[in-house]
Amino acid sequence: MAGAVDLSALKDRPAPPPAAAGEVAEGGLPPIVDVTTATFEDEVLRRSSQVPVVVDLGSARSPQSVSLTRLLGQLALEAGGRWIHARVDVDTNPQIAQAFGVQAIPTVVAVAGGQPLADFQGSQPEDQLRKWIEAIEQATAGKLTGPPGAEPIEDEPEPEDPRLVAAEEALDDGDFDTAIAAYEDIIAAEPANADAKAALRQVKFLARVQNVDADAVARADADPADVAARIEAADVELSQQNPEAAFGRLIDGIKRTAGDERTQLRTRLLELFELFDAADPVVVAARRKLASALY
């Protein structure tokens, strides 16, 4: 849904002064706001250039909506203005629901920089909701202006880790084996080192792509039953900055196969997902398609 949402129809409407739905956070923004069609541009589009806005589209007629809205409100107050909980009553604001393409309530959409970033339908347990919001905050970190009056924090630059420097130098020299070994050594010593884990995934992908035949895409297109060619073709397409094609090729293969072949395709798809932010709209859309293909 997020990639197809057109919010332009909700701009430039006269907006009365909005009433805050919650306490004002330290940065000057109330963490909870009630949004109408008239206030949508100010409360969602403009605010989302400062902090992520989690648009909660629900109805008092829906017990799921009421429960989810209460939980989101608690988390928004706890966050203290790092993101905004924007509550929309779809019964009185059907234009907003239509703009977001809402098919069921509750629906929740994260908006950042005026654009939808990720969404889900239905109620969510608190731990999953926290993880989803954390992914939104990570995906937008450093990309928004922050709440008004917030002072940018200037951190002292951290000294470069010589182990990472050595790995990066090996990568610059095209020595993938040395770079992979260096990152694996770091992870063995520090299992929680997220930077090393992410770099290792990237390097392994780059190393693998170097050995893929240039005609992999043509071979896969010529023989859809060739699972190995399909997997290699997806690597090539991703290396050409076309993740939609790579993900789509693997998901199509999952639909066609079963047993070990399906497992191979799914495993490679999940590996490719890990090269992106979890909240990336391309990944979110592909995960939905994967779920449909599997079930």
Side-chain angles (χ1 to χ4, degrees):
M1 178 187 73
V5 176
D6 179 9
L7 305 181
S8 60
L10 298 175
K11 293 183 178 181
D12 302 323
R13 294 177 182 266
E23 302 173 0
V24 176
E26 183 177 348
L29 294 178
I32 305 173
V33 293
D34 288 319
V35 177
T36 66
T37 304
T39 63
F40 184 87
E41 182 174 5
D42 282 336
E43 299 290 5
V44 175
L45 300 185
R46 290 180 181 169
R47 281 179 183 241
S48 71
S49 68
Q50 301 170 335
V51 296
V53 176
V54 175
V55 183
D56 173 13
L57 299 121
S59 167
R61 297 179 291 104
S62 165
Q64 276 192 329
S65 291
V66 174
S67 177
L68 181 60
T69 295
R70 184 181 299 113
L71 178 55
L72 280 170
Q74 293 171 355
L75 297 182
L77 291 172
E78 179 183 309
R82 294 197 310 272
W83 55 274
I84 302 299
H85 176 203
R87 307 185 301 200
V88 177
D89 184 342
V90 299
D91 295 328
T92 56
N93 298 278
Q95 300 96 327
I96 299 179
Q98 183 178 7
F100 279 109
V102 171
Q103 298 179 348
I105 56 171
T107 289
V108 175
V109 185
V111 178
Q115 296 296 324
L117 181 62
D119 60 80
F120 65 83
Q121 293 180 353
S123 60
Q124 298 288 327
E126 181 176 343
D127 59 336
Q128 292 299 317
L129 191 56
R130 285 183 180 275
K131 290 179 182 178
W132 186 81
I133 291 172
E134 287 172 5
I136 297 300
E137 291 189 277
Q138 291 172 6
T140 58
K143 299 176 182 177
L144 303 176
T145 62
E151 293 292 332
I153 301 175
E154 297 183 2
D155 296 324
E156 291 290 331
E158 295 183 5
E160 290 188 285
D161 186 329
R163 301 169 302 172
L164 291 175
V165 172
E168 290 166 2
E169 289 176 348
L171 183 58
D172 290 340
D173 293 337
D175 188 348
F176 294 107
D177 289 341
T178 299
I180 288 172
Y183 287 123
E184 288 178 339
D185 287 345
I186 295 173
I187 295 169
E190 302 174 17
N193 192 315
D195 289 340
K197 288 181 178 179
L200 179 60
R201 289 193 291 266
Q202 294 283 349
V203 175
K204 284 186 173 180
F205 171 75
L206 292 173
R208 187 172 71 230
V209 168
Q210 305 303 309
N211 298 317
V212 174
D213 293 336
D215 65 345
V217 173
R219 286 191 292 107
D221 290 342
D223 184 3
D226 188 338
V227 171
R230 186 182 289 271
I231 289 174
E232 290 186 347
D235 277 353
V236 170
E237 287 168 328
L238 189 61
S239 71
Q240 295 172 344
Q241 306 299 312
N242 193 355
E244 293 93 340
F247 296 161
R249 184 180 294 277
L250 294 174
I251 292 169
D252 180 66
I254 289 169
K255 293 177 181 178
R256 296 168 176 263
T257 57
D260 290 343
E261 289 185 335
R262 171 178 274 202
T263 299
Q264 291 176 40
L265 291 162
R266 181 176 178 273
T267 299
R268 177 54 52 86
L269 180 61
L270 295 179
E271 288 175 356
L272 297 188
F273 283 165
E274 290 184 339
L275 299 174
F276 295 80
D277 285 334
D280 189 304
V282 175
V283 175
V284 172
R287 284 191 180 277
R288 285 191 189 136
K289 293 176 182 178
L290 172 60
S292 297
L294 290 171
Y295 305 107

